[in-house]
Amino acid sequence: MSRAPDAQFTHEQIMIYKSLIHDLERRFPELADVEYTADHPSAATLHRLMTYRESVKILKGFIRQGDE
């Protein structure tokens, strides 16, 4: 069974964000389980990591909505 073009695009976006998350966690393992704070020494990278994670959640929500 093939996916609709929009669903395929959404899955591809999720894979891209997961790849970015994996890369940041590999390069900055100390940030893997840290909550975001603006005064953290790596705040910009941590913010990027949190944004990517939130993007994955949002995209997964789109997929769930499409499955209903």
Side-chain angles (χ1 to χ4, degrees), residues 6 9-11 13 16 19-20 30 38 40-41 46 56 59:
D6 290 343
F9 177 77
T10 303
H11 281 279
Q13 290 297 304
I16 290 168
S19 177
L20 291 168
E30 70 277 7
H40 191 279
L46 187 55
V56 169
L59 290 167

Side-chain angles (χ1 to χ4, degrees), residues 2-66:
S2 65
R3 295 181 181 143
D6 290 343
Q8 181 65 35
F9 177 77
T10 303
H11 281 279
E12 289 171 2
Q13 290 297 304
I14 289 171
M15 295 307 298
I16 290 168
Y17 279 118
K18 284 184 173 184
S19 177
L20 291 168
I21 291 166
H22 175 74
D23 181 58
L24 284 175
E25 288 177 343
R26 182 183 54 79
R27 290 189 295 139
F28 302 96
E30 70 277 7
L31 300 181
D33 297 319
V34 175
E35 293 293 320
Y36 176 75
T37 58
D39 61 344
H40 191 279
S42 299
T45 302
L46 187 55
H47 182 262
R48 219 173 319 135
L49 182 60
M50 296 297 161
T51 302
Y52 295 159
R53 288 177 178 160
E54 190 61 32
S55 296
V56 169
K57 288 179 189 176
I58 292 168
L59 290 167
K60 285 182 176 181
F62 289 152
I63 292 171
R64 280 191 297 276
Q65 288 176 355

